[in-house]
Amino acid sequence: MNMKISILGINFRTAPVEIRERASFTANDVPDVLRRICAEFPGAEAVLLSTCNRTEVYMSGIDADEKKQILIGMLLKESDPGRLAAVEKHFYTKKNMMATEHLLAVAAGLDSMVVGETEVLGQVKQAYMLTKQTLISGKTMDPLFHNAFRIAKRVHTETDVCRGRVSVSSIAVEFAEKVFENLTDKTVMIVGAGETAELALKSLIERGAREVLVLNRSLDKAIMLAERYGGRAIQFELINDYLPRADIVISSTSAPHCVIHESSVRKAMETRHDLPLLLIDIAVPRDIETGVGALENVYLYNIDDLQRVAAENLAKRQKSVEKAWKIVKEGAMEIASVFESADLRDMLRKLDELGRNTTEIVLQKTLAKEKIAALPEDAREELRVVAQKVVGKFLAEPREALKRAAKNGQWKEYVKVVDDLFQFNAQRGPDRKEDTQEKKDV
Amino acid sequence: MLQPNTILSAIGIVFFCAASVCAVVDLLRTHPPEKGEQGVSLFLAFGCVSLLATLVLQGINTHSIVPLFNRFDTLTVYVVFLTIAALCLLRQHRTQGLMAILAPYATILLIAGFPAVNVRTELVPPQVVNTALFFHLVTVFAGYALFSLASILACAYLVQDHNLKYRHFGIVFEKFPALETLDHLMFRMIGTSFLLITISLALGYYLVHETGRMSEWITDPKVMATMATWTLCAVLVHMRANIGRHGTRLALFTVAGLALILFSMVGVHLVAQSIHNFVQIGSTLK
């Protein structure tokens, strides 16, 4: 069982969204695509990963290079050779070790648009589960993906690659979670209707924020936003009346002056009996007076604060990328050794069989000779034992050398030599060709 | 030759030292280390067992049912109560970062009490050696321990408040709980300690009656210090439960309470003569 894995894929680096969206599949579509692939290539195993940034088919038993056009046609539901040729350049293929490393990097979030994002691991798991349900995974895909999940987790726990949030909205949520125990009994006030503020509001609602108050100069806009998130639209002029009710205020108006003043926050804090108040000012020019941040139990952050944290977290992640890649490469070697140990057993069995068969053929010829046939039975038996021992001794060193090679990562070189020497080539021809190709890829 | 209780108490202190080092290292490590957390809890648990064994030995040596009469015993019982309360809290909430404050604090107290480990104790008046005395001591130490835990939570609150105000978003910021969590836990601890200290004071009043030395006890500095702690507790409970106050000012008052507790436990004996002082300084156990 040599590692015969290949990938055909398209991602945000290789293709614009117009092409990617054509090869995008929902969880309901995936089983059909997998069945089509396996009907076209009987005996093959395949896992289809489709996210907003990538679509990749992980395959065993199919050479992605050779069958690239057919596979692209199946993904895009396109049969016109001209059109296929036009989009082919956006698709990439990887094989064996490179393919394994790629899968590990994807699962660990190293190949994502935002390095270290953890959502992709869940998506890879879901893709694998869909394949399991379709019964198209097997002896290659199962160990490959199980090991990939293990190694991705190792990357997440042993490096800083996924530590710290990197988007302004998620950092706002992180601050909220450091001030408040949980958000289920909290009121969020949105002042203005900026896109980032809305994203932050969405994240806060996902974490269970109880009440949403939306204030905007245009009441219609406020009503629209409030309706989208099950909140209440409030007239902008009532901001000071509602301020004491809010636990989290996100402000992003386009007003040229401050809309939340120190005096009103001070008054609100008196009503709140010093319950903590988190204010996030995403607007430029700023909406909240800077003096507000100096008030007791009030925590004020502006866009620069959030962006600074995002930049620091991203820098921390980037620092860890090298370490993460080291784990990925080690992991790919481990996976290769899982497959190689099966190959080793196979190769040793072949060597033993060769030794036994050769001894038997030579012995039969020898024992058939008149002089030998006249010998007593125990002498003939002795001759048989000696012959077997000689062959056993002769093969002992190659056997040990193969075991050492499997341990030391020199398996590919050794197996080729043994193939040639003992003429196993006939059975292993395609592998050799594949290995040569892989070296070229590297 | 070293006595068994000296060896046991030294072992207990070593466990607390190890827990302190582990807790501080854990706090400053980048990754959340589950094994490290378990290590701190284990060291603290082993330390408590050693210290309890020391107290049992002290009890046997002094033929006393409640060996709480010298600086070492007092601080040891207080530390054991405090540690058990903290370990229980750790099981219910993710408050592991707090161990980096608690473990060194407990260790310093144990080291401070260690020289008095073999100081001979004088028994309390025989007419008050009864169940009421036992509960008087248990409730006051449990109350002190819970209030001290509240003070440690308040320290963490102030640190986290400082981190949020001055944008220090480092490891400590990540590992300490949210402000609101700390505030809730603080109030729970203060409320319970108020109840326990109240019971203890009531039992103390009953015991004073038994001895018939009412006027002496009422003016005793240790009783007055404990009354001050109780008053602070009452004020904090009132501010929180009736007025609904929260935040840094309340946390500052709670931290101040820790100083009051230490004063009423140990400090009062250093600055004034107390009837609670059963220690005969200078002679050691044979």
PDB file of all heavy atoms in Angstrom, chain B residues 112-139:
ATOM      1  N   ALA B 112       6.416  32.590  57.392  1.00  0.00           N
ATOM      2  CA  ALA B 112       6.415  33.529  58.522  1.00  0.00           C
ATOM      3  C   ALA B 112       6.033  32.820  59.822  1.00  0.00           C
ATOM      4  O   ALA B 112       6.542  33.155  60.899  1.00  0.00           O
ATOM      5  CB  ALA B 112       5.445  34.670  58.237  1.00  0.00           C
ATOM      6  N   GLY B 113       5.173  31.835  59.723  1.00  0.00           N
ATOM      7  CA  GLY B 113       4.729  31.130  60.928  1.00  0.00           C
ATOM      8  C   GLY B 113       5.668  30.024  61.360  1.00  0.00           C
ATOM      9  O   GLY B 113       5.652  29.605  62.533  1.00  0.00           O
ATOM     10  N   PHE B 114       6.515  29.553  60.437  1.00  0.00           N
ATOM     11  CA  PHE B 114       7.345  28.372  60.699  1.00  0.00           C
ATOM     12  C   PHE B 114       8.230  28.473  61.955  1.00  0.00           C
ATOM     13  O   PHE B 114       8.315  27.511  62.721  1.00  0.00           O
ATOM     14  CB  PHE B 114       8.189  28.046  59.463  1.00  0.00           C
ATOM     15  CG  PHE B 114       8.945  26.764  59.577  1.00  0.00           C
ATOM     16  CD1 PHE B 114       8.278  25.539  59.581  1.00  0.00           C
ATOM     17  CD2 PHE B 114      10.326  26.771  59.708  1.00  0.00           C
ATOM     18  CE1 PHE B 114       8.968  24.348  59.699  1.00  0.00           C
ATOM     19  CE2 PHE B 114      11.031  25.579  59.822  1.00  0.00           C
ATOM     20  CZ  PHE B 114      10.346  24.366  59.811  1.00  0.00           C
ATOM     21  N   PRO B 115       8.895  29.609  62.226  1.00  0.00           N
ATOM     22  CA  PRO B 115       9.752  29.678  63.432  1.00  0.00           C
ATOM     23  C   PRO B 115       8.976  29.369  64.724  1.00  0.00           C
ATOM     24  O   PRO B 115       9.581  28.966  65.719  1.00  0.00           O
ATOM     25  CB  PRO B 115      10.254  31.121  63.438  1.00  0.00           C
ATOM     26  CG  PRO B 115      10.158  31.553  62.022  1.00  0.00           C
ATOM     27  CD  PRO B 115       8.988  30.861  61.452  1.00  0.00           C
ATOM     28  N   ALA B 116       7.656  29.541  64.689  1.00  0.00           N
ATOM     29  CA  ALA B 116       6.869  29.329  65.918  1.00  0.00           C
ATOM     30  C   ALA B 116       6.309  27.914  66.009  1.00  0.00           C
ATOM     31  O   ALA B 116       5.484  27.641  66.876  1.00  0.00           O
ATOM     32  CB  ALA B 116       5.728  30.338  65.962  1.00  0.00           C
ATOM     33  N   VAL B 117       6.789  27.030  65.108  1.00  0.00           N
ATOM     34  CA  VAL B 117       6.165  25.703  65.033  1.00  0.00           C
ATOM     35  C   VAL B 117       6.209  24.955  66.368  1.00  0.00           C
ATOM     36  O   VAL B 117       5.262  24.253  66.718  1.00  0.00           O
ATOM     37  CB  VAL B 117       6.776  24.870  63.869  1.00  0.00           C
ATOM     38  CG1 VAL B 117       8.218  24.532  64.090  1.00  0.00           C
ATOM     39  CG2 VAL B 117       5.976  23.601  63.636  1.00  0.00           C
ATOM     40  N   ASN B 118       7.296  25.118  67.129  1.00  0.00           N
ATOM     41  CA  ASN B 118       7.412  24.379  68.384  1.00  0.00           C
ATOM     42  C   ASN B 118       7.267  25.249  69.625  1.00  0.00           C
ATOM     43  O   ASN B 118       7.619  24.830  70.718  1.00  0.00           O
ATOM     44  CB  ASN B 118       8.756  23.643  68.428  1.00  0.00           C
ATOM     45  CG  ASN B 118       8.676  22.368  67.617  1.00  0.00           C
ATOM     46  OD1 ASN B 118       7.633  21.701  67.620  1.00  0.00           O
ATOM     47  ND2 ASN B 118       9.738  22.041  66.903  1.00  0.00           N
ATOM     48  N   VAL B 119       6.766  26.437  69.419  1.00  0.00           N
ATOM     49  CA  VAL B 119       6.554  27.318  70.578  1.00  0.00           C
ATOM     50  C   VAL B 119       5.461  26.701  71.443  1.00  0.00           C
ATOM     51  O   VAL B 119       4.409  26.302  70.942  1.00  0.00           O
ATOM     52  CB  VAL B 119       6.174  28.738  70.110  1.00  0.00           C
ATOM     53  CG1 VAL B 119       5.722  29.591  71.283  1.00  0.00           C
ATOM     54  CG2 VAL B 119       7.365  29.384  69.425  1.00  0.00           C
ATOM     55  N   ARG B 120       5.757  26.632  72.751  1.00  0.00           N
ATOM     56  CA  ARG B 120       4.822  25.945  73.640  1.00  0.00           C
ATOM     57  C   ARG B 120       3.518  26.739  73.787  1.00  0.00           C
ATOM     58  O   ARG B 120       3.534  27.962  73.845  1.00  0.00           O
ATOM     59  CB  ARG B 120       5.475  25.769  75.013  1.00  0.00           C
ATOM     60  CG  ARG B 120       4.662  24.881  75.904  1.00  0.00           C
ATOM     61  CD  ARG B 120       5.432  24.569  77.140  1.00  0.00           C
ATOM     62  NE  ARG B 120       4.571  23.845  78.060  1.00  0.00           N
ATOM     63  CZ  ARG B 120       4.944  23.457  79.246  1.00  0.00           C
ATOM     64  NH1 ARG B 120       6.147  23.735  79.668  1.00  0.00           N
ATOM     65  NH2 ARG B 120       4.118  22.793  80.026  1.00  0.00           N
ATOM     66  N   THR B 121       2.435  26.031  73.844  1.00  0.00           N
ATOM     67  CA  THR B 121       1.148  26.699  73.949  1.00  0.00           C
ATOM     68  C   THR B 121       0.549  26.518  75.334  1.00  0.00           C
ATOM     69  O   THR B 121       0.760  25.506  75.991  1.00  0.00           O
ATOM     70  CB  THR B 121       0.164  26.128  72.915  1.00  0.00           C
ATOM     71  OG1 THR B 121       0.053  24.744  73.173  1.00  0.00           O
ATOM     72  CG2 THR B 121       0.618  26.369  71.507  1.00  0.00           C
ATOM     73  N   GLU B 122      -0.196  27.526  75.716  1.00  0.00           N
ATOM     74  CA  GLU B 122      -0.897  27.450  76.994  1.00  0.00           C
ATOM     75  C   GLU B 122      -2.352  27.110  76.669  1.00  0.00           C
ATOM     76  O   GLU B 122      -2.926  27.657  75.734  1.00  0.00           O
ATOM     77  CB  GLU B 122      -0.824  28.823  77.661  1.00  0.00           C
ATOM     78  CG  GLU B 122      -1.486  28.890  79.010  1.00  0.00           C
ATOM     79  CD  GLU B 122      -1.547  30.334  79.480  1.00  0.00           C
ATOM     80  OE1 GLU B 122      -2.536  31.022  79.184  1.00  0.00           O
ATOM     81  OE2 GLU B 122      -0.577  30.778  80.101  1.00  0.00           O
ATOM     82  N   LEU B 123      -2.943  26.214  77.385  1.00  0.00           N
ATOM     83  CA  LEU B 123      -4.306  25.801  77.072  1.00  0.00           C
ATOM     84  C   LEU B 123      -5.295  26.893  77.451  1.00  0.00           C
ATOM     85  O   LEU B 123      -5.057  27.680  78.364  1.00  0.00           O
ATOM     86  CB  LEU B 123      -4.645  24.511  77.809  1.00  0.00           C
ATOM     87  CG  LEU B 123      -3.805  23.302  77.407  1.00  0.00           C
ATOM     88  CD1 LEU B 123      -4.193  22.098  78.233  1.00  0.00           C
ATOM     89  CD2 LEU B 123      -3.964  23.010  75.930  1.00  0.00           C
ATOM     90  N   VAL B 124      -6.401  26.905  76.751  1.00  0.00           N
ATOM     91  CA  VAL B 124      -7.453  27.882  77.040  1.00  0.00           C
ATOM     92  C   VAL B 124      -8.147  27.505  78.355  1.00  0.00           C
ATOM     93  O   VAL B 124      -8.048  26.355  78.807  1.00  0.00           O
ATOM     94  CB  VAL B 124      -8.501  27.917  75.898  1.00  0.00           C
ATOM     95  CG1 VAL B 124      -7.943  28.560  74.686  1.00  0.00           C
ATOM     96  CG2 VAL B 124      -9.019  26.532  75.601  1.00  0.00           C
ATOM     97  N   PRO B 125      -8.828  28.444  78.970  1.00  0.00           N
ATOM     98  CA  PRO B 125      -9.532  28.121  80.221  1.00  0.00           C
ATOM     99  C   PRO B 125     -10.419  26.888  80.037  1.00  0.00           C
ATOM    100  O   PRO B 125     -11.145  26.803  79.044  1.00  0.00           O
ATOM    101  CB  PRO B 125     -10.383  29.370  80.476  1.00  0.00           C
ATOM    102  CG  PRO B 125      -9.713  30.449  79.726  1.00  0.00           C
ATOM    103  CD  PRO B 125      -9.037  29.834  78.563  1.00  0.00           C
ATOM    104  N   PRO B 126     -10.349  25.944  80.976  1.00  0.00           N
ATOM    105  CA  PRO B 126     -11.052  24.662  80.782  1.00  0.00           C
ATOM    106  C   PRO B 126     -12.562  24.810  80.616  1.00  0.00           C
ATOM    107  O   PRO B 126     -13.170  24.029  79.901  1.00  0.00           O
ATOM    108  CB  PRO B 126     -10.731  23.873  82.054  1.00  0.00           C
ATOM    109  CG  PRO B 126     -10.021  24.798  82.963  1.00  0.00           C
ATOM    110  CD  PRO B 126      -9.576  25.981  82.221  1.00  0.00           C
ATOM    111  N   GLN B 127     -13.164  25.858  81.215  1.00  0.00           N
ATOM    112  CA  GLN B 127     -14.625  25.956  81.115  1.00  0.00           C
ATOM    113  C   GLN B 127     -15.128  26.286  79.710  1.00  0.00           C
ATOM    114  O   GLN B 127     -16.304  26.132  79.429  1.00  0.00           O
ATOM    115  CB  GLN B 127     -15.200  26.977  82.131  1.00  0.00           C
ATOM    116  CG  GLN B 127     -14.762  28.415  81.953  1.00  0.00           C
ATOM    117  CD  GLN B 127     -13.527  28.754  82.764  1.00  0.00           C
ATOM    118  OE1 GLN B 127     -12.611  27.947  82.878  1.00  0.00           O
ATOM    119  NE2 GLN B 127     -13.488  29.947  83.339  1.00  0.00           N
ATOM    120  N   VAL B 128     -14.205  26.750  78.803  1.00  0.00           N
ATOM    121  CA  VAL B 128     -14.659  27.041  77.422  1.00  0.00           C
ATOM    122  C   VAL B 128     -14.220  25.984  76.409  1.00  0.00           C
ATOM    123  O   VAL B 128     -14.455  26.141  75.219  1.00  0.00           O
ATOM    124  CB  VAL B 128     -14.209  28.442  76.932  1.00  0.00           C
ATOM    125  CG1 VAL B 128     -14.868  29.536  77.727  1.00  0.00           C
ATOM    126  CG2 VAL B 128     -12.705  28.552  76.927  1.00  0.00           C
ATOM    127  N   VAL B 129     -13.550  24.947  76.871  1.00  0.00           N
ATOM    128  CA  VAL B 129     -13.156  23.883  75.926  1.00  0.00           C
ATOM    129  C   VAL B 129     -14.386  23.003  75.695  1.00  0.00           C
ATOM    130  O   VAL B 129     -14.667  22.073  76.444  1.00  0.00           O
ATOM    131  CB  VAL B 129     -11.966  23.056  76.458  1.00  0.00           C
ATOM    132  CG1 VAL B 129     -11.598  21.950  75.472  1.00  0.00           C
ATOM    133  CG2 VAL B 129     -10.781  23.950  76.699  1.00  0.00           C
ATOM    134  N   ASN B 130     -15.147  23.330  74.729  1.00  0.00           N
ATOM    135  CA  ASN B 130     -16.362  22.582  74.404  1.00  0.00           C
ATOM    136  C   ASN B 130     -16.656  22.699  72.908  1.00  0.00           C
ATOM    137  O   ASN B 130     -15.879  23.306  72.158  1.00  0.00           O
ATOM    138  CB  ASN B 130     -17.535  23.082  75.247  1.00  0.00           C
ATOM    139  CG  ASN B 130     -17.715  24.605  75.103  1.00  0.00           C
ATOM    140  OD1 ASN B 130     -17.364  25.165  74.064  1.00  0.00           O
ATOM    141  ND2 ASN B 130     -18.220  25.252  76.146  1.00  0.00           N
ATOM    142  N   THR B 131     -17.795  22.143  72.505  1.00  0.00           N
ATOM    143  CA  THR B 131     -18.152  22.153  71.073  1.00  0.00           C
ATOM    144  C   THR B 131     -18.288  23.582  70.555  1.00  0.00           C
ATOM    145  O   THR B 131     -17.927  23.870  69.408  1.00  0.00           O
ATOM    146  CB  THR B 131     -19.494  21.416  70.879  1.00  0.00           C
ATOM    147  OG1 THR B 131     -19.499  20.273  71.717  1.00  0.00           O
ATOM    148  CG2 THR B 131     -19.686  20.984  69.443  1.00  0.00           C
ATOM    149  N   ALA B 132     -18.808  24.453  71.400  1.00  0.00           N
ATOM    150  CA  ALA B 132     -18.990  25.846  70.966  1.00  0.00           C
ATOM    151  C   ALA B 132     -17.650  26.466  70.586  1.00  0.00           C
ATOM    152  O   ALA B 132     -17.556  27.198  69.593  1.00  0.00           O
ATOM    153  CB  ALA B 132     -19.650  26.647  72.078  1.00  0.00           C
ATOM    154  N   LEU B 133     -16.604  26.167  71.348  1.00  0.00           N
ATOM    155  CA  LEU B 133     -15.273  26.699  71.034  1.00  0.00           C
ATOM    156  C   LEU B 133     -14.799  26.165  69.669  1.00  0.00           C
ATOM    157  O   LEU B 133     -14.270  26.923  68.845  1.00  0.00           O
ATOM    158  CB  LEU B 133     -14.261  26.298  72.120  1.00  0.00           C
ATOM    159  CG  LEU B 133     -12.814  26.707  71.818  1.00  0.00           C
ATOM    160  CD1 LEU B 133     -12.651  28.225  71.859  1.00  0.00           C
ATOM    161  CD2 LEU B 133     -11.838  26.066  72.799  1.00  0.00           C
ATOM    162  N   PHE B 134     -15.034  24.866  69.468  1.00  0.00           N
ATOM    163  CA  PHE B 134     -14.642  24.250  68.190  1.00  0.00           C
ATOM    164  C   PHE B 134     -15.308  24.987  67.022  1.00  0.00           C
ATOM    165  O   PHE B 134     -14.649  25.390  66.062  1.00  0.00           O
ATOM    166  CB  PHE B 134     -15.029  22.762  68.208  1.00  0.00           C
ATOM    167  CG  PHE B 134     -14.744  22.057  66.916  1.00  0.00           C
ATOM    168  CD1 PHE B 134     -13.454  21.647  66.598  1.00  0.00           C
ATOM    169  CD2 PHE B 134     -15.758  21.813  66.002  1.00  0.00           C
ATOM    170  CE1 PHE B 134     -13.188  21.009  65.399  1.00  0.00           C
ATOM    171  CE2 PHE B 134     -15.492  21.176  64.798  1.00  0.00           C
ATOM    172  CZ  PHE B 134     -14.208  20.772  64.506  1.00  0.00           C
ATOM    173  N   PHE B 135     -16.631  25.186  67.148  1.00  0.00           N
ATOM    174  CA  PHE B 135     -17.346  25.848  66.047  1.00  0.00           C
ATOM    175  C   PHE B 135     -16.976  27.327  65.940  1.00  0.00           C
ATOM    176  O   PHE B 135     -16.941  27.886  64.844  1.00  0.00           O
ATOM    177  CB  PHE B 135     -18.855  25.675  66.204  1.00  0.00           C
ATOM    178  CG  PHE B 135     -19.310  24.314  65.751  1.00  0.00           C
ATOM    179  CD1 PHE B 135     -19.751  23.364  66.662  1.00  0.00           C
ATOM    180  CD2 PHE B 135     -19.247  23.956  64.410  1.00  0.00           C
ATOM    181  CE1 PHE B 135     -20.143  22.101  66.246  1.00  0.00           C
ATOM    182  CE2 PHE B 135     -19.636  22.701  63.982  1.00  0.00           C
ATOM    183  CZ  PHE B 135     -20.088  21.765  64.905  1.00  0.00           C
ATOM    184  N   HIS B 136     -16.691  27.953  67.097  1.00  0.00           N
ATOM    185  CA  HIS B 136     -16.253  29.350  67.096  1.00  0.00           C
ATOM    186  C   HIS B 136     -14.977  29.483  66.241  1.00  0.00           C
ATOM    187  O   HIS B 136     -14.882  30.372  65.387  1.00  0.00           O
ATOM    188  CB  HIS B 136     -15.987  29.784  68.548  1.00  0.00           C
ATOM    189  CG  HIS B 136     -15.227  31.065  68.683  1.00  0.00           C
ATOM    190  ND1 HIS B 136     -15.748  32.281  68.311  1.00  0.00           N
ATOM    191  CD2 HIS B 136     -13.963  31.325  69.156  1.00  0.00           C
ATOM    192  CE1 HIS B 136     -14.855  33.230  68.550  1.00  0.00           C
ATOM    193  NE2 HIS B 136     -13.763  32.677  69.053  1.00  0.00           N
ATOM    194  N   LEU B 137     -14.056  28.537  66.450  1.00  0.00           N
ATOM    195  CA  LEU B 137     -12.776  28.594  65.719  1.00  0.00           C
ATOM    196  C   LEU B 137     -12.953  28.247  64.243  1.00  0.00           C
ATOM    197  O   LEU B 137     -12.416  28.918  63.368  1.00  0.00           O
ATOM    198  CB  LEU B 137     -11.772  27.649  66.375  1.00  0.00           C
ATOM    199  CG  LEU B 137     -11.317  28.071  67.775  1.00  0.00           C
ATOM    200  CD1 LEU B 137     -10.545  26.960  68.453  1.00  0.00           C
ATOM    201  CD2 LEU B 137     -10.480  29.336  67.704  1.00  0.00           C
ATOM    202  N   VAL B 138     -13.729  27.177  64.002  1.00  0.00           N
ATOM    203  CA  VAL B 138     -13.924  26.760  62.600  1.00  0.00           C
ATOM    204  C   VAL B 138     -14.594  27.874  61.804  1.00  0.00           C
ATOM    205  O   VAL B 138     -14.149  28.223  60.699  1.00  0.00           O
ATOM    206  CB  VAL B 138     -14.757  25.452  62.530  1.00  0.00           C
ATOM    207  CG1 VAL B 138     -15.223  25.184  61.100  1.00  0.00           C
ATOM    208  CG2 VAL B 138     -13.932  24.281  63.025  1.00  0.00           C
ATOM    209  N   THR B 139     -15.642  28.465  62.368  1.00  0.00           N
ATOM    210  CA  THR B 139     -16.373  29.490  61.602  1.00  0.00           C
ATOM    211  C   THR B 139     -15.524  30.740  61.388  1.00  0.00           C
ATOM    212  O   THR B 139     -15.539  31.316  60.304  1.00  0.00           O
ATOM    213  CB  THR B 139     -17.697  29.874  62.307  1.00  0.00           C
ATOM    214  OG1 THR B 139     -17.427  30.094  63.692  1.00  0.00           O
ATOM    215  CG2 THR B 139     -18.751  28.805  62.141  1.00  0.00           C
TER     216      THR B 139
END
